[in-house]
mmCIF file of all heavy atoms in Angstrom:
data_model
loop_
_atom_site.group_PDB
_atom_site.id
_atom_site.type_symbol
_atom_site.label_atom_id
_atom_site.label_comp_id
_atom_site.label_asym_id
_atom_site.label_seq_id
_atom_site.Cartn_x
_atom_site.Cartn_y
_atom_site.Cartn_z
ATOM 1 N N LEU T 43 107.634 7.049 43.823
ATOM 2 C CA LEU T 43 106.772 7.915 44.636
ATOM 3 C C LEU T 43 105.754 7.089 45.406
ATOM 4 O O LEU T 43 105.520 7.338 46.586
ATOM 5 C CB LEU T 43 106.054 8.931 43.742
ATOM 6 C CG LEU T 43 106.928 10.057 43.213
ATOM 7 C CD1 LEU T 43 106.186 10.831 42.136
ATOM 8 C CD2 LEU T 43 107.339 10.982 44.342
ATOM 9 N N LEU T 44 105.147 6.118 44.749
ATOM 10 C CA LEU T 44 104.175 5.264 45.426
ATOM 11 C C LEU T 44 104.818 4.515 46.592
ATOM 12 O O LEU T 44 104.210 4.346 47.649
ATOM 13 C CB LEU T 44 103.574 4.256 44.449
ATOM 14 C CG LEU T 44 102.583 4.813 43.434
ATOM 15 C CD1 LEU T 44 102.275 3.765 42.376
ATOM 16 C CD2 LEU T 44 101.321 5.295 44.110
ATOM 17 N N ALA T 45 106.051 4.070 46.388
ATOM 18 C CA ALA T 45 106.755 3.285 47.404
ATOM 19 C C ALA T 45 107.391 4.163 48.473
ATOM 20 O O ALA T 45 108.090 3.661 49.349
ATOM 21 C CB ALA T 45 107.823 2.419 46.734
ATOM 22 N N GLY T 46 107.162 5.448 48.412
ATOM 23 C CA GLY T 46 107.688 6.351 49.439
ATOM 24 C C GLY T 46 109.204 6.447 49.411
ATOM 25 O O GLY T 46 109.830 6.636 50.450
ATOM 26 N N GLY T 47 109.803 6.315 48.239
ATOM 27 C CA GLY T 47 111.254 6.439 48.108
ATOM 28 C C GLY T 47 112.000 5.130 48.271
ATOM 29 O O GLY T 47 113.233 5.120 48.215
ATOM 30 N N ASP T 48 111.312 4.026 48.440
ATOM 31 C CA ASP T 48 111.948 2.714 48.568
ATOM 32 C C ASP T 48 112.327 2.226 47.155
ATOM 33 O O ASP T 48 111.480 1.757 46.405
ATOM 34 C CB ASP T 48 110.989 1.727 49.236
ATOM 35 C CG ASP T 48 111.594 0.352 49.464
ATOM 36 O OD1 ASP T 48 112.628 0.039 48.846
ATOM 37 O OD2 ASP T 48 111.017 -0.415 50.258
ATOM 38 N N THR T 49 113.595 2.368 46.813
ATOM 39 C CA THR T 49 114.042 2.039 45.460
ATOM 40 C C THR T 49 113.865 0.560 45.137
ATOM 41 O O THR T 49 113.531 0.210 44.005
ATOM 42 C CB THR T 49 115.521 2.427 45.250
ATOM 43 O OG1 THR T 49 116.314 1.758 46.222
ATOM 44 C CG2 THR T 49 115.712 3.920 45.372
ATOM 45 N N HIS T 50 114.071 -0.294 46.122
ATOM 46 C CA HIS T 50 113.946 -1.737 45.861
ATOM 47 C C HIS T 50 112.499 -2.117 45.584
ATOM 48 O O HIS T 50 112.216 -2.876 44.655
ATOM 49 C CB HIS T 50 114.501 -2.547 47.035
ATOM 50 C CG HIS T 50 115.946 -2.270 47.295
ATOM 51 N ND1 HIS T 50 116.936 -2.644 46.414
ATOM 52 C CD2 HIS T 50 116.558 -1.623 48.313
ATOM 53 C CE1 HIS T 50 118.111 -2.251 46.882
ATOM 54 N NE2 HIS T 50 117.912 -1.623 48.030
ATOM 55 N N LEU T 51 111.590 -1.589 46.361
ATOM 56 C CA LEU T 51 110.177 -1.858 46.130
ATOM 57 C C LEU T 51 109.745 -1.275 44.789
ATOM 58 O O LEU T 51 108.992 -1.905 44.044
ATOM 59 C CB LEU T 51 109.313 -1.290 47.263
ATOM 60 C CG LEU T 51 107.800 -1.439 47.095
ATOM 61 C CD1 LEU T 51 107.402 -2.898 46.903
ATOM 62 C CD2 LEU T 51 107.075 -0.815 48.272
ATOM 63 N N ALA T 52 110.222 -0.080 44.470
ATOM 64 C CA ALA T 52 109.877 0.544 43.188
ATOM 65 C C ALA T 52 110.329 -0.336 42.022
ATOM 66 O O ALA T 52 109.581 -0.549 41.067
ATOM 67 C CB ALA T 52 110.504 1.933 43.080
ATOM 68 N N GLU T 53 111.539 -0.860 42.114
ATOM 69 C CA GLU T 53 112.036 -1.745 41.056
ATOM 70 C C GLU T 53 111.197 -3.019 40.961
ATOM 71 O O GLU T 53 110.876 -3.477 39.863
ATOM 72 C CB GLU T 53 113.503 -2.091 41.307
ATOM 73 C CG GLU T 53 114.430 -0.910 41.082
ATOM 74 C CD GLU T 53 115.843 -1.133 41.590
ATOM 75 O OE1 GLU T 53 116.107 -2.158 42.252
ATOM 76 O OE2 GLU T 53 116.687 -0.256 41.331
ATOM 77 N N ASP T 54 110.810 -3.574 42.116
ATOM 78 C CA ASP T 54 109.959 -4.761 42.128
ATOM 79 C C ASP T 54 108.595 -4.473 41.504
ATOM 80 O O ASP T 54 108.070 -5.292 40.737
ATOM 81 C CB ASP T 54 109.765 -5.282 43.549
ATOM 82 C CG ASP T 54 111.025 -5.896 44.128
ATOM 83 O OD1 ASP T 54 111.978 -6.158 43.359
ATOM 84 O OD2 ASP T 54 111.063 -6.110 45.365
ATOM 85 N N LEU T 55 108.030 -3.316 41.817
ATOM 86 C CA LEU T 55 106.733 -2.950 41.258
ATOM 87 C C LEU T 55 106.797 -2.802 39.743
ATOM 88 O O LEU T 55 105.896 -3.245 39.024
ATOM 89 C CB LEU T 55 106.221 -1.654 41.894
ATOM 90 C CG LEU T 55 105.814 -1.727 43.357
ATOM 91 C CD1 LEU T 55 105.546 -0.330 43.905
ATOM 92 C CD2 LEU T 55 104.600 -2.628 43.547
ATOM 93 N N VAL T 56 107.866 -2.187 39.258
ATOM 94 C CA VAL T 56 108.022 -2.014 37.809
ATOM 95 C C VAL T 56 108.197 -3.377 37.140
ATOM 96 O O VAL T 56 107.581 -3.654 36.103
ATOM 97 C CB VAL T 56 109.204 -1.072 37.475
ATOM 98 C CG1 VAL T 56 109.511 -1.077 35.987
ATOM 99 C CG2 VAL T 56 108.892 0.338 37.948
ATOM 100 N N GLN T 57 109.001 -4.226 37.734
ATOM 101 C CA GLN T 57 109.213 -5.557 37.168
ATOM 102 C C GLN T 57 107.896 -6.345 37.114
ATOM 103 O O GLN T 57 107.578 -6.976 36.107
ATOM 104 C CB GLN T 57 110.250 -6.323 37.981
ATOM 105 C CG GLN T 57 110.575 -7.685 37.399
ATOM 106 C CD GLN T 57 111.688 -8.374 38.164
ATOM 107 O OE1 GLN T 57 112.218 -7.849 39.129
ATOM 108 N NE2 GLN T 57 112.036 -9.561 37.720
ATOM 109 N N GLU T 58 107.144 -6.295 38.194
ATOM 110 C CA GLU T 58 105.851 -6.988 38.241
ATOM 111 C C GLU T 58 104.893 -6.412 37.203
ATOM 112 O O GLU T 58 104.183 -7.145 36.507
ATOM 113 C CB GLU T 58 105.250 -6.885 39.642
ATOM 114 C CG GLU T 58 103.905 -7.540 39.796
ATOM 115 C CD GLU T 58 103.950 -9.051 39.772
ATOM 116 O OE1 GLU T 58 105.030 -9.626 40.040
ATOM 117 O OE2 GLU T 58 102.914 -9.666 39.477
ATOM 118 N N THR T 59 104.872 -5.092 37.081
ATOM 119 C CA THR T 59 104.007 -4.429 36.101
ATOM 120 C C THR T 59 104.369 -4.852 34.689
ATOM 121 O O THR T 59 103.494 -5.206 33.889
ATOM 122 C CB THR T 59 104.113 -2.899 36.242
ATOM 123 O OG1 THR T 59 103.664 -2.532 37.549
ATOM 124 C CG2 THR T 59 103.296 -2.179 35.190
ATOM 125 N N LEU T 60 105.658 -4.828 34.374
ATOM 126 C CA LEU T 60 106.072 -5.204 33.025
ATOM 127 C C LEU T 60 105.819 -6.682 32.755
ATOM 128 O O LEU T 60 105.490 -7.062 31.622
ATOM 129 C CB LEU T 60 107.545 -4.839 32.808
ATOM 130 C CG LEU T 60 107.822 -3.330 32.733
ATOM 131 C CD1 LEU T 60 109.320 -3.068 32.625
ATOM 132 C CD2 LEU T 60 107.082 -2.682 31.572
ATOM 133 N N SER T 61 105.926 -7.515 33.771
ATOM 134 C CA SER T 61 105.611 -8.940 33.603
ATOM 135 C C SER T 61 104.140 -9.125 33.279
ATOM 136 O O SER T 61 103.777 -9.903 32.388
ATOM 137 C CB SER T 61 105.941 -9.721 34.879
ATOM 138 O OG SER T 61 107.305 -9.670 35.147
ATOM 139 N N ARG T 62 103.289 -8.421 33.997
ATOM 140 C CA ARG T 62 101.853 -8.513 33.731
ATOM 141 C C ARG T 62 101.514 -7.947 32.358
ATOM 142 O O ARG T 62 100.639 -8.468 31.669
ATOM 143 C CB ARG T 62 101.077 -7.788 34.817
ATOM 144 C CG ARG T 62 101.137 -8.511 36.140
ATOM 145 C CD ARG T 62 100.477 -7.724 37.238
ATOM 146 N NE ARG T 62 100.696 -8.398 38.493
ATOM 147 C CZ ARG T 62 99.779 -8.532 39.428
ATOM 148 N NH1 ARG T 62 98.588 -8.025 39.238
ATOM 149 N NH2 ARG T 62 100.057 -9.160 40.542
#
Side-chain angles (χ1 to χ4, degrees):
L43 286 169
L44 287 169
D48 183 343
T49 58
H50 300 292
L51 177 57
E53 289 168 353
D54 290 346
L55 291 171
V56 170
Q57 183 175 0
E58 179 72 21
T59 298
L60 290 176
S61 297
R62 290 175 186 221

